[in-house]
Amino acid sequence: LDAELPALGERLDASKRAKECGLKLNWVKGDIQQLPFGDGSFDAVIMTKVLCSVTDQRIALQEISRVLTKGGRLGYVEHVAADQGSFLEAQQLVMDPLQQAIAGNCHLHRDTDRLIERSVRGAADGQDALFDRLESADRYQVWQMWPITQQAAGIVTK
């Protein structure tokens, strides 16, 4: 699923490479806030640099939880808000409005990893829990990707 599909030539090349590995790719254009799949359709969802740009991160996570089977996993890599009070955070806060305007609503300063962690049972209140277990969660910096230097990666299980 992607908000904008790659060009036809790129899709054909990727599909050909996948077929050589015994895999079949299905290309679907859609909105993560209204996934075009039934409940419990997937054993896993992999998400990279998605939640920075969506209008409502919570709705996106609800949709991911909805399409995951019981025991299904969400793996994510996102750029996130820098540590409070850091020089990087100051840079993010200054640049964020421009970033949103020129990069498809991409927010530099969102606590995406904390939101995912708060959606896990035990950290979440009652029905706010979208996932049962936090398998792993790491924060790290990739300075070559400035201004999206602060990164987070993890796995949660439904």
Side-chain angles (χ1 to χ4, degrees):
L1 174 77
D2 205 325
E4 294 298 324
L5 295 178
L8 179 60
E10 293 176 43
R11 292 195 313 259
L12 291 173
D13 288 345
S15 293
K16 181 181 174 187
R17 287 191 310 274
K19 187 175 181 180
E20 291 168 357
C21 296
L23 301 171
K24 180 183 178 194
L25 295 181
N26 292 314
W27 299 91
V28 178
K29 182 175 179 178
D31 180 350
I32 192 169
Q33 297 173 114
Q34 292 180 310
L35 293 172
F37 308 107
D39 295 358
S41 296
F42 298 97
D43 294 326
V45 172
I46 305 297
M47 178 174 63
T48 59
K49 314 262 188 313
V50 172
L51 293 179
C52 61
S53 301
V54 301
T55 303
D56 190 325
Q57 293 180 306
R58 181 74 183 165
I59 290 173
L61 289 173
Q62 287 171 342
E63 278 293 279
I64 291 168
S65 178
R66 180 184 66 78
V67 301
L68 279 173
T69 60
K70 183 72 176 157
R73 292 175 150 186
L74 163 63
Y76 64 91
V77 176
E78 295 283 334
H79 68 87
V80 297
D83 293 335
Q84 190 171 8
S86 68
F87 184 64
L88 179 57
E89 182 193 41
Q91 292 174 329
Q92 286 180 337
L93 291 170
V94 168
M95 294 181 62
D96 199 38
L98 177 62
Q99 175 78 5
Q100 291 172 47
I102 65 172
N105 197 41
C106 175
H107 293 70
L108 293 174
H109 193 262
R110 282 188 165 174
D111 280 324
T112 303
D113 55 333
R114 305 290 198 273
L115 176 65
I116 293 170
E117 291 170 16
R118 286 192 311 268
S119 69
V120 175
R121 191 169 316 288
D125 294 329
Q127 57 184 299
D128 288 339
L130 300 173
F131 306 99
D132 288 331
R133 194 170 51 253
L134 176 66
E135 302 289 338
S136 65
D138 295 304
R139 288 175 61 90
Y140 53 93
Q141 294 180 336
V142 182
W143 284 100
Q144 297 88 335
M145 295 183 72
W146 184 90
I148 60 168
T149 300
Q150 188 68 57
Q151 306 279 315
I155 299 170
V156 291
T157 301
K158 181 176 175 185

